[in-house]
Amino acid sequence: MKQSSPRRLALVASDVARAQEAAVEFAAAADWHTLDDADLAVVLGGDGFMLQTLHAMLDSGIVRPVYGVNLGTVGFLMNRFRAPAKILQKLHKARAIAVSPLIAEIVTREGTAHRCNAINEVSLLRETRQTAKIVVEVDGQVRIPELVCDGVLLSTPAGSTAYNLSANGPILPLDSRTLALTPISPFRPRRWRGAILPDRSTVTFRVIEADKRPVSVVADQKEIRDVASVSIATAPKQALELLFDPGHALDERIVSEQFEF
């Protein structure tokens, strides 16, 4: 029997078999609407598919609160899979977490301009065997005139436990209003391990010897190659709303991550 709900729900599922099988169960458990007509989206899949869905919302301008159901591997942005009827009955108890994406203004060596959103991080990575050389500016002031490295990234609190953590960056509480600036295998200055910045900061990276030492930019899942400069800032007016079960919210997971060995 289908559950009635005071909210108009949309169902979005990954192409993987587990998610498609679950989608059949969910489809029979409620009356569903298109994303245009809904006021909340239930997303079936893993973290990667969740990021893909959130980016599609940002690109289309149709942004809805999202409740993720984990049918992937890690599921950091998702909730535990349960029977559809149980999930739908308790959706109204889900806790909302606001996540502000980053906006990256990218200029390639040829002068082509790109604009990309990032929910987790924006990372610069060397394209060849040669190390990258990058100028690091914060709010128009040069902080590192020449960072010699494999790359560097700027992470949101939501993304601080992803690539940023793998690069030995700090874990940031969701309500900290900060960003993590983290080098990737830095060679010079050798002792620099990164910085924590206010989320109102604008960070600019300029590639030195871009022809000889090409660098790519990756904004979550989108890559732009052969870049000359990247300017990154937070976009609070485009904040996304992720919904979590009580006791399993993203901020609690971020705290718990710091006590795992």
Side-chain angles (χ1 to χ4, degrees), residues 120-126 150-156 158-170 180 182-185 218 220:
N120 276 354
E121 77 280 316
V122 176
S123 56
L124 281 72
L125 304 166
R126 65 184 175 100
D150 280 354
V152 62
L153 64 85
L154 188 69
S155 170
T156 66
S160 65
T161 57
Y163 190 12
N164 172 71
L165 182 59
S166 299
N168 296 316
T182 303
I184 302 168
S185 301
V218 180
D220 285 347

Side-chain angles (χ1 to χ4, degrees), residues 17-77:
R18 288 182 64 200
Q20 287 297 307
E21 291 170 5
V24 174
E25 298 180 43
F26 274 86
D31 294 317
W32 300 93
H33 302 267
T34 65
L35 193 58
D36 289 13
D37 295 331
D39 55 18
L40 187 155
V42 175
V43 177
L44 311 181
D47 287 336
F49 184 69
M50 173 62 86
L51 286 175
Q52 179 181 327
T53 301
L54 295 174
H55 278 282
M57 287 185 179
L58 288 172
D59 292 343
S60 68
I62 302 172
V63 177
R64 301 288 185 262
V66 175
Y67 180 93
V69 179
N70 186 31
L71 290 157
T73 305
V74 179
F76 195 78
L77 300 174

Side-chain angles (χ1 to χ4, degrees), residues 141 185 191 246 248:
Q141 181 176 351
S185 301
R191 295 182 181 178
H248 296 278

Side-chain angles (χ1 to χ4, degrees), residues 220-243:
D220 285 347
Q221 300 164 331
K222 184 173 183 178
E223 181 182 22
I224 306 295
R225 296 179 68 83
D226 300 333
V227 304
S229 67
V230 188
S231 186
I232 309 165
T234 303
K237 292 184 179 180
Q238 295 184 1
L240 300 158
E241 192 173 284
L242 305 186
L243 303 176

